[in-house]
Each structure stands twice: as structure tokens, then as C-alpha cells.
Amino acid sequence: MKKLLTHLDWLESEAIHIMREVAGQCSNPVLLFSGGKDSLCLLRIAEKAFRPGRFPFPLMHIDTGHNYPEVINFRDEKVNELGERLIVASLEESMKKGSVVLKTDDEPRNKYQSITLLEAISENKFDCCIGGARRDEEKARAKERIMSFRDEFGQWDPKNQRPELWDIYNAKVHNEENIRAFPISNWTEMDVWQYIERENLSLPNIYFAHKREIVRRNNTIVPITNVTPAKSNEIIENITVRFRTVGDITCTAPVESNADTVEKIILETASTSISERGETRLDDQVSEASMEQRKKEGYF
Amino acid sequence: MKKNINDTVLRFMTCGSVDDGKSTVIGRLLFDTKTILTDTLAQIENTSKKKGMTEIDLSLITDGLQAEREQGITIDVAYRYFSTGNRKYIIADAPGHEQYTRNMVTGASTAQLAIILIDSRKGILTQTKRHTYIAKLLGIKHIIVAINKMDLINFDELKYNSICENYKKFEKNIFPKNTKTDIKFLPISALKGDMIVDRGNSMGWYKGLTLLELLDNLDTTNDFKESSFRFPIQYVCRPRESANQKLHDFRAFMGRIESGFLKVNDKVKVLPSGNESLIKEIKIGEKNINEAISEQSITVLLKDEIDISRGDMLVHHDDPINAIKNFTATVCWLSENPLSINRTYLLMHTTRTSKAKITNINYKINIETLEHEEVQNELKTNDIASISFKLAQPLIVDNYFENRGTGSFIVIDETSFHTVGAGMIELLDKKEK
């Protein structure tokens, strides 16, 4: 008999343990579900943690209004299949209420998600949000706790984080404060794809190679959609691409790729020379500290 | 690679300061295993240029937050990842300065191995002793002593040997309670990359393994092989409201095995109640398995209907362990607010939390001299002390050196709910049980 767990079994087991700690310690948690690959891993982990029971938390999507329809359809199918409850918190609702004010109509909405998220936390009185963030994504994330404390304004203070030792997680909060729990903190992009392969998880089809109209702008491939139209001087090309991350349309760029299966994506991930966020997240290229700044403002 | 460690996870920490080349060692491991990608490298090149450097500064790979960059220091533990194809590694990169003892303690708490860096020109320093002490105190079973900057002493074998001999001499006297530490030595030059991933051409006299080979071959299978079965209950599953009639009487107990083995049909007892039953099923998700091992998150069904809730623990029926209300522990104080002997704290231990009073601070450990010192009724940040506690609820505890999972706890401030201390239980004699 094998005495040590394989790396995927170990990561899965750690994530299940973290999710059960949330369920055991928090009175009103929620799981943030975007339809993206990381949150799909979270759902499989939740199944392994709580079945045959129901999940002890609802799912919540922060909808910027700028999503690929394939992802939204996939999200709804998945929720249906699981028989769990989905809350959709809409950024456009926040705009109507006046809490989100864009500088210009076409300004990327990603950073404003924090406002909608904080509103939803406060309305629903959530004391913990489970998210799919990973420490390998970005350097501010490398110092993030597995259970990360946020004050009553939802702020992350890197100088005032609770020390986290062994596998003991302190999720205690006062009213209005909350915890962000990250069960797959210790996973890398490769681990995620290997887990997807092993568990045979289905994904929105835009993760796989497909034909798409794009333009090339500042070394990035920009997909042509109604919210990201081509500029008059740009040449529209129809090429084969896939998305490495899936989020708000205006800040997620695809990569050129012919990988149309999970297996091929794993091979490509192993040989890529550019990081997930560097290549495809337009919002992280702005400055060296942009993720750190967003997290301080309540971003997950 | 040995079969039983193939495709496993190894967690290690690195001890040393910027001056010892700690960041360069980590940078080198990540760079030479091709973990650093082009865009990150471009960012580092950019920063190196801004700082007026002509070569890429590999130590910038581990550079952290804005606040830290402003001050030019690392103040918090960062976690980094790489994989060799054989094994996945999680590095706890903790600052090594004495002001950051608490961060080293945090990093060490999850590590199976510590890499202790020594600057070959300086040899063994006070901080080497401090790092070794913390690694041993936190129960790390494997230490790699890496003598760095060999290029600056002309790759001198004799000097290397003499540092190793000196280390062996003093190590024996550090924390003698933890005697089973496996210690390995190697000479490296992180700057040149010698003996980290590649051997280089300058140290033909060294016939041992490179740093990465040492890591890839380290067998941790036997680290806690003598530990008994411990299964703290995290969550009880009772899907009564389910549409499925069969599930109306379903009751399962969920948790992660802290140590030991469990098989179907094992006779177990619940602590603190002492009620006994048999293991009917072991599941991961909805899949049944026959046996489960340490660190596995499982769901357990019992033959009998007995009352169990979060905070209880399953152990084998003949295990002599009992829940106790008094114990002594070595505590590292983590908070900026001093410990006050007059206050009540919360102790969080496995899945159970109890109020606790401090009956005595027995002594404090001077982290520089490692001598015991008398204390008044207060402890400050980074202090390490022996403390006796009296608990409101009984806890099911083991000696930390026999069982990390059930021998450790955190101290929580009742008012702020912040984590203010970390404790390692030391069962002194039978009287305490």
C-alpha cells in the first residue's frame, strides 16, 4: 500500500479539508462561481466534501454584464446539474443604483466587480466567500492566506494578516467582517489542468481551440465582440485561439492555439513560456502592483 | 527516484537572510527548473535595470509586495511552487531576521524539510543556531545545510569540511529533545548555479547529490510512521431533507486523517465520550475505499448510531489517549499585543476550540543564546516560552514531536479574534494526563 498521497490526491484532500473547515466554522458562507476552470475545480471538490448531502452554501456569480454567452449557458447548466442554488450579483444593477460609476462607457469593468461583490456580501450577510484564487497567479497572491481576513470595508491589509500555521484555520469574524477562503491556494495552473483531466470535468467550450475574429493590439490578441469592437485602422483576422482564463470580456484575451483537448492543453501548458495572467489578463499589465491594489479594495 | 515517493508533494522552507543568498537560491531553483516564465523574467529585467544593475538579479524573483519593496525587506512568508516532473514542491519563503521569528515559525509549521543557508566566508553565525533551533522546535525531520557562496572562497574543500564539522558539533546541543533529525550537507554557489540544479565545473571534489537531487530523493514515508490513528470530526453529514428516501437515516462523519491508518471494520472509539463502534464504510466523495492513510480527507460511516459532532475525535478502540484539561506547551507569541497572564484566550486545536487560562509562564527561551530565562507576566512578539494552560473544554492531544497534527494549536484573542500565538504541546508526565 502506498503510504504517501500523489500530488493531485494531496491537493484535493487539502482543498476538501479547507472547504469543510469553512462549513464547520462559518455560519453563512458562499462559493464564488464564475463558470471558469478554477471555480469548476472548486465545485468538484465541494461534491467530494459534502455529497450525498447538499452543499452547505449557495453559489454566487458576480456578473459584469460582459460575459461570453457560452460561459453563462455553461454556468446555468452546471448549477442545474448539481441542483444547488445560484445567486447572480449584477454589476449593471450596481451601476443603476449608482454605486458603480464608470469613467467612460467602454472602461473595463473588472475592477468594479469588487463593489458589487461587497454589496452582495453585505446584503446576504455572508461571513465567508470561497474563491478559486491560486498563489502561483501573481506575487500579491503568493503572500495570501488560505483563510484571508477582510475588515468591514472588505479591505485586505497585507500588514495585518492573521498568521496561518499547520492546518489550523482561524475563520472567526465579527459582524460585517468576512473571510475569503481559497481552497486551491497551493495549486498551479498545471495542477488545475491535470485535475480537470483526471476528474474528466467539462468546461465551457471557449477553453478549447476554436475559430474567432480578432485584432492584434499592443502585443495582445483582442477578440472582436460587441463590447470590444475593432478600431477603424485595425485588421480583423479569423484565427484559431483558446482562452486560458475566462472572465469579463474586456479584460480577457485568448491565445493562439490548436489545443482542442485537455490533453493537448496540458502539453501546451508544460511548454509555454508566458504566465497565465501575463498573457491573458489585460488588467494585470497596468502596473507592477495592480493586483495588490485591487485586493486592498476588496477584490478576491 | 524511489517508487514510493514518485509524484508526491514535498514542502520545505528556506532559512537565511538576503545576505546569505537565500533569494538567489530560490530564484535559481525556479529559474533552472524553468518555472520562471518569460513575462516574469521581463519584469525582473526591467526592475534590475531601474535599480542600475547590469545583470538580472535573480533574487527579485521572490520580491513581494509594494510595502516590502518600499522598505527593501521581506516581512511575510511567501509560498512558491515548482515541479520536477517527479515531485511537486511547495516552498515557504520566510524572512530570516530575528525580528521575524514568528514568520519563520509559521513557515516551518507546514514544512517537512528546512534548507539552512550558511555564507561560506562567515561560517556558523548566531542566526544559524536560531534557524536550526526553530526548525527542530517545529519538528522538522530533515535539514539540508547548504554552504553557499563557495565561489567566494575558491571552492575550497577544506574550508567546506570545517564548516560542516562545526555545524555537527553545535547541532547536537540544540534542542536535544528532538534527536532524530536527518542532516545533510552540500556546497553550492547560487550565483553561478553550481550544485543547485546543475553540478557546474568547479567542485569536482564533491561527490554527493545536487540540491535538487537531494530534494527529489528525500523519502518522508517514515517521518511519522509510529503515529496512532487520529481523525478529528470536521463536519457531520445528515441529508435528511433529501428527496432520496434512502438518505433519511444517513449519517456520515467527515474529516481529514491527521495521522495513522484506517481500514473498513476497524474498531474505533469516539473521544471524549468513549463510545465504541465499527467502521462500516470509508468514502472519498461517493466512491468507497477499503483503507485510508494520513492526510486523506474522507467520509466515514459507522455500524452503530452514536452521538458524534464537530470537535470529537475518532481513534482506535484500544488507544490509551484521553481528553485532558491541563497541559504545558512551547508557545511562540505572534501578536504585536503582548500576552497577558490575566486574560482568557481561545485555543484552537484540530476541530475543537476551548477557552484557556494561563496558569504559569515557566520560562522564556533566549533565541540568541538558547538559554532559559525567567519571565514576568508578559510575552512580546517573537518571544518563545514554556506556558502551562488550564482549559475550559478538554482537548484530545498528543506530544508535538510524536504527532504534529494533534500536538499543535493556535491561540486566538477573544476580543479581536486575531491569531496571537502558536503552541506545541509537551506532555511532561503522567500526572498531566
Side-chain angles (χ1 to χ4, degrees):
Chain A
M1 168 179 192
K2 199 164 165 131
K3 289 179 189 158
L4 299 171
L5 297 176
T6 66
H7 87 280
L8 285 182
D9 282 337
W10 189 88
L11 290 169
E12 178 189 67
S13 176
E14 184 192 41
I16 293 172
H17 177 250
I18 293 160
M19 236 183 239
R20 287 173 175 167
E21 274 309 286
V22 170
Q25 289 191 46
C26 303
S27 53
N28 191 19
V30 64
L31 186 146
L32 301 176
F33 174 54
S34 63
K37 66 182 193 311
D38 301 307
S39 58
L40 282 160
C41 289
L42 289 184
L43 291 186
R44 172 51 53 93
I45 288 156
E47 288 182 81
K48 294 206 182 188
F50 303 111
R51 292 288 186 245
R54 306 246 340 238
F55 295 174
F57 37 68
L59 315 177
M60 181 162 78
H61 181 217
I62 308 298
D63 182 358
T64 62
H66 285 170
N67 288 294
Y68 288 99
E70 298 94 322
V71 178
I72 296 294
N73 289 340
F74 185 87
R75 176 198 79 187
D76 293 340
E77 275 167 29
K78 189 75 206 170
V79 170
N80 236 331
E81 175 198 316
L82 288 169
E84 299 290 340
R85 186 161 73 96
L86 175 75
I87 299 168
V88 178
S90 151
L91 191 130
E92 287 175 351
E93 287 296 320
S94 305
M95 285 162 66
K96 276 186 208 153
K97 266 192 280 185
S99 51
V100 167
V101 182
L102 303 181
K103 285 194 202 90
T104 54
D105 283 348
D106 61 351
E107 189 190 7
R109 294 174 173 186
N110 203 40
K111 70 171 184 178
Y112 296 104
Q113 281 185 74
S114 311
I115 297 173
T116 307
L117 173 63
L118 293 179
E119 283 173 355
I121 289 172
S122 151
E123 269 165 40
N124 293 282
K125 299 196 165 29
F126 291 129
D127 57 354
C128 178
C129 301
I130 303 167
R134 309 188 319 261
R135 284 171 176 156
D136 80 320
E137 284 180 87
E138 209 276 340
K139 62 185 158 198
R141 292 235 196 264
K143 303 212 164 176
E144 181 60 286
R145 302 294 187 264
I146 284 173
M147 299 247 186
S148 175
F149 172 77
R150 305 300 166 100
D151 67 14
E152 57 201 303
F153 297 98
Q155 298 180 105
W156 181 66
D157 178 359
K159 288 182 201 157
N160 194 24
Q161 286 287 295
R162 293 175 178 176
E164 201 160 71
L165 297 101
W166 300 289
D167 55 0
I168 311 177
Y169 304 105
N170 171 6
K172 285 188 179 300
V173 288
H174 298 97
N175 256 345
E176 315 238 322
E177 296 168 348
N178 67 81
I179 292 290
R180 305 292 169 86
F182 303 116
I184 60 167
S185 285
N186 285 325
W187 299 36
T188 60
E189 185 186 15
M190 185 56 122
D191 297 326
V192 167
W193 281 111
Q194 288 174 342
Y195 191 68
I196 288 168
E197 183 182 47
R198 190 186 83 169
E199 297 292 315
N200 202 12
L201 300 184
S202 51
L203 294 179
N205 52 18
I206 65 173
Y207 275 112
F208 302 100
H210 59 282
K211 284 273 181 197
R212 188 173 283 275
E213 290 196 328
I214 60 104
V215 296
R216 294 175 200 271
R217 197 181 290 163
N218 307 328
N219 292 323
T220 310
I221 296 172
V222 178
I224 300 308
T225 66
N226 55 346
V227 292
T228 51
K231 293 174 184 168
S232 56
N233 59 339
E234 286 175 331
I235 303 156
I236 297 177
E237 297 170 60
N238 193 4
I239 62 168
T240 305
V241 296
R242 69 177 173 92
F243 286 87
R244 275 175 83 180
T245 67
V246 163
D248 186 81
I249 290 181
T250 58
C251 73
T252 320
V255 295
E256 280 195 82
S257 164
N258 290 315
D260 53 5
T261 62
V262 173
E263 202 185 342
K264 287 180 192 165
I265 293 173
I266 290 175
L267 284 175
E268 227 173 65
T269 306
S271 60
T272 185
S273 62
I274 300 183
S275 74
E276 182 175 318
R277 286 200 166 255
E279 186 167 43
T280 65
R281 294 305 283 242
L282 307 174
D283 48 343
D284 284 324
Q285 293 173 2
V286 180
S287 87
E288 256 195 286
S290 48
M291 172 67 86
E292 187 178 347
Q293 198 52 45
R294 285 208 310 277
K295 281 166 68 70
K296 284 178 184 166
E297 288 161 7
Y299 196 80
F300 75 91
Chain B
M1 156 135 332
K2 293 173 201 160
K3 206 175 165 198
N4 54 339
I5 58 168
N6 192 21
D7 191 30
T8 54
V9 175
L10 184 73
R11 303 191 70 161
F12 67 91
M13 75 178 306
T14 45
C15 312
S17 65
V18 178
D19 301 336
D20 307 319
K22 177 179 66 112
S23 302
T24 316
V25 171
I26 297 174
R28 180 57 72 181
L29 273 175
L30 300 182
F31 188 72
D32 288 355
T33 54
K34 305 195 169 43
T35 312
I36 305 297
L37 300 175
T38 317
D39 57 322
T40 314
L41 204 60
Q43 229 177 36
I44 292 161
E45 265 180 323
N46 228 336
T47 314
S48 304
K49 268 184 214 152
K50 269 194 226 163
K51 286 183 156 179
M53 299 165 101
T54 47
E55 278 178 57
I56 299 178
D57 182 359
L58 280 181
S59 70
L60 291 172
I61 289 169
T62 61
D63 206 18
L65 304 169
Q66 202 173 20
E68 295 176 321
R69 284 195 295 275
E70 282 159 15
Q71 294 172 53
I73 48 156
T74 8
I75 48 179
D76 208 342
V77 187
Y79 295 90
R80 311 192 187 280
Y81 306 86
F82 70 96
S83 173
T84 52
N86 286 325
R87 211 169 208 180
K88 176 187 168 86
Y89 292 95
I90 304 178
I91 314 177
D93 176 14
H97 194 269
E98 66 190 295
Q99 283 175 331
Y100 303 113
T101 296
R102 58 175 170 170
N103 298 43
M104 268 204 66
V105 168
T106 302
S109 74
T110 52
Q112 298 156 287
L113 172 142
I115 299 176
I116 293 180
L117 286 162
I118 295 177
D119 184 331
S120 64
R121 296 166 304 172
K122 297 177 187 158
I124 287 152
L125 302 174
T126 315
Q127 68 159 20
T128 317
K129 296 184 184 175
R130 191 173 68 235
H131 296 159
T132 306
Y133 174 77
I134 292 174
K136 293 181 80 172
L137 174 71
L138 270 290
I140 291 179
K141 305 266 182 191
H142 309 272
I143 291 178
I144 295 177
V145 182
I147 321 290
N148 192 21
K149 306 197 181 179
M150 287 300 293
D151 50 310
L152 298 181
I153 58 162
N154 293 317
F155 303 99
D156 187 332
E157 184 181 3
L158 291 178
K159 279 187 188 157
Y160 165 77
N161 285 337
S162 110
I163 295 173
C164 297
E165 285 313 309
N166 283 339
Y167 185 91
K168 281 181 200 158
K169 265 183 231 153
F170 92 80
E171 185 273 332
K172 269 187 260 159
N173 301 317
I174 288 188
F175 216 78
K177 281 175 213 157
N178 184 2
T179 50
K180 288 180 193 159
T181 322
D182 142 51
I183 296 176
K184 297 185 174 81
F185 298 88
L186 93 158
I188 60 172
S189 165
L191 192 71
K192 310 266 174 206
D194 293 358
M195 295 299 166
I196 307 269
V197 175
D198 303 318
R199 296 192 73 84
N201 299 317
S202 306
M203 287 184 282
W205 50 265
Y206 173 74
K207 304 292 180 204
L209 301 176
T210 63
L211 182 58
L212 194 67
E213 287 166 345
L214 283 175
L215 294 172
D216 257 357
N217 285 290
L218 185 88
D219 193 343
T220 57
T221 320
N222 296 324
D223 285 7
F224 287 93
K225 66 170 177 190
E226 284 140 34
S227 301
S228 312
F229 171 67
R230 300 285 182 260
F231 185 65
I233 307 299
Q234 282 189 285
Y235 194 75
V236 180
C237 175
R238 299 208 64 178
R240 273 164 297 191
E241 80 285 12
S242 165
N244 183 350
Q245 289 280 335
K246 277 186 202 155
L247 290 177
H248 281 205
D249 295 321
F250 184 91
R251 244 156 64 98
F253 307 100
M254 298 169 154
R256 188 189 198 195
I257 301 180
E258 287 289 353
S259 62
F261 298 86
L262 184 70
K263 295 192 300 294
V264 171
N265 287 326
D266 274 2
K267 207 170 172 188
V268 292
K269 71 177 170 194
V270 188
L271 292 176
S273 75
N275 291 330
E276 296 191 0
S277 185
L278 286 179
I279 300 288
K280 193 165 86 181
E281 288 178 51
I282 307 173
K283 296 159 99 68
I284 293 181
E286 307 211 60
K287 194 179 114 200
N288 278 58
I289 54 175
N290 288 323
E291 46 195 13
I293 59 172
S294 175
E295 297 195 302
Q296 236 170 348
S297 284
I298 55 170
T299 300
V300 162
L301 279 76
L302 298 179
K303 281 245 161 72
D304 310 279
E305 221 174 274
I306 48 177
D307 186 34
I308 304 179
S309 48
R310 176 175 164 88
D312 291 347
M313 194 182 291
L314 288 189
V315 301
H316 280 130
H317 74 107
D318 52 357
D319 200 303
I321 189 172
N322 264 316
I324 57 171
K325 283 180 142 185
N326 290 283
F327 59 69
T328 298
T330 308
V331 172
C332 176
W333 198 249
L334 308 166
S335 172
E336 305 290 340
N337 299 320
L339 169 143
S340 158
I341 198 161
N342 299 318
R343 286 189 63 185
T344 303
Y345 290 94
L346 297 172
L347 294 198
M348 192 182 269
H349 171 266
T350 65
T351 56
R352 201 169 244 257
T353 302
S354 168
K355 288 196 180 206
K357 281 191 186 301
I358 292 154
T359 51
N360 193 37
I361 305 180
N362 306 313
Y363 55 83
K364 193 170 110 175
I365 293 140
N366 181 318
I367 195 77
E368 297 303 321
T369 63
L370 304 182
E371 278 164 8
H372 294 183
E373 288 176 353
E374 283 207 31
V375 249
Q376 298 309 312
N377 294 334
E378 210 180 76
L379 286 184
K380 294 193 179 65
T381 328
N382 297 315
D383 278 351
I384 295 175
S386 164
I387 298 180
S388 298
F389 290 96
K390 184 182 164 193
L391 310 167
Q393 305 288 326
L395 296 180
I396 304 119
V397 306
D398 285 294
N399 243 326
Y400 183 76
F401 290 112
E402 284 150 26
N403 201 317
R404 256 177 154 181
T406 46
S408 58
F409 60 88
I410 57 170
V411 186
I412 296 173
D413 184 305
E414 268 200 310
T415 312
S416 69
F417 289 159
H418 275 282
T419 304
V420 293
M424 288 143 281
I425 296 160
E426 218 178 291
L427 300 174
L428 297 175
D429 54 49
K430 288 263 153 55
K431 253 189 286 172
E432 282 199 324
K433 294 188 176 179

